[in-house]
């Protein structure tokens, strides 16, 4: 009886996993943001850059704890945009980021689905993109690849936050291999994160 119970539970878990993968792929197709191949690439966390023939595998960057959490002192520009370089009003922000996966459950105080969040000291939480609505792209400077995520927190009835995670070649291990926040492009409500890693070389 105990063996049968274990077997049944194993089958249930397998069905659940396969169902969730199918749902994620279905959502990608329905929302028409990414192609079938790019959805599969995000599931496997690998990207084939057809322009160079290089294959990037970022699976080892998926944090087994469920997310990366880091705090940064950044600058508030005009009371909205956050930037790690331009000065206006300095604020403390906590970021949550996962690679190729949404964070579930979301961080405390967050309601929207997402793979990247910012939480300001007053408790305001924003999602910067849903991994179910995302694509891989090569980096503009040919130094790695990036994930473009869409459909984060709603701004108004037509606009949502978005986010890019840039995986940049860590040549000669010059940088700590951990994610950090760069800035938000206020014009299109897009947050930029960077992750120096040898996997992008």
């Amino acid at each position: 009886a105990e063996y049968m119970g274990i077997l049944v539970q194993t089958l249930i878990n397998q069905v659940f996993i396969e169902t969730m993968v199918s749902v994620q792929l279905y959502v990608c197709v329905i929302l028409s943001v990414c192609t079938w191949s790019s959805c599969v690439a995000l599931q496997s966390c690998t990207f084939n850059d057809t322009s160079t023939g290089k294959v990037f595998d970022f699976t080892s960057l998926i944090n087994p704890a469920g997310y990366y959490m880091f705090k940064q002192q950044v600058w508030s520009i005009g009371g909205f945009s956050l930037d790690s370089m331009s000065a206006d009003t300095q604020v403390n922000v906590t970021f949550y980021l996962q690679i190729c996966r949404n964070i579930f459950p979301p961080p405390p105080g967050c309601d929207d689905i997402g793979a990247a969040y910012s939480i300001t000291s007053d408790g305001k939480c924003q999602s910067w993109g849903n991994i179910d609505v995302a694509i891989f792209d090569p980096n503009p400077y040919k130094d790695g690849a990036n994930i473009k995520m869409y459909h984060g927190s709603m701004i108004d009835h037509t606009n949502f936050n978005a986010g890019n995670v840039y995986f940049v070649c860590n040549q000669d291990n010059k940088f700590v291999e951990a994610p950090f926040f760069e800035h938000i492009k206020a014009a299109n409500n897009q947050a930029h994160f960077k992750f120096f890693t040898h996997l992008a070389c």
Side-chain angles (χ1 to χ4, degrees), residues 73-77 81-86 181-184:
Q73 286 190 330
V74 299
W75 303 95
S76 174
I77 301 174
S81 184
L82 302 174
D83 198 300
S84 60
M85 295 171 286
S86 300
F181 167 78
E182 284 194 301
H183 57 259
I184 290 172

Side-chain angles (χ1 to χ4, degrees), residues 64-122:
Y67 53 79
Y68 297 89
M69 184 186 75
F70 50 98
K71 297 182 179 182
Q72 282 184 228
Q73 286 190 330
V74 299
W75 303 95
S76 174
I77 301 174
F80 169 73
S81 184
L82 302 174
D83 198 300
S84 60
M85 295 171 286
S86 300
D88 188 350
T89 303
Q90 197 168 25
V91 294
N92 294 311
V93 181
T94 301
F95 295 95
Y96 291 79
L97 177 70
Q98 180 60 300
I99 305 302
C100 295
R101 302 288 186 269
N102 283 326
I103 298 171
F104 185 81
C110 303
D111 298 320
D112 298 320
I113 296 173
Y117 295 89
S118 64
I119 304 177
T120 49
S121 55
D122 60 1

Side-chain angles (χ1 to χ4, degrees), residues 105-148:
C110 303
D111 298 320
D112 298 320
I113 296 173
Y117 295 89
S118 64
I119 304 177
T120 49
S121 55
D122 60 1
K124 182 181 179 181
C125 175
Q126 294 193 70
S127 164
W128 296 100
N130 184 340
I131 203 66
D132 294 339
V133 194
I135 58 171
F136 264 118
D137 266 333
N139 284 347
Y141 300 108
K142 306 299 181 183
D143 55 358
N146 66 85
I147 296 176
K148 290 181 171 64

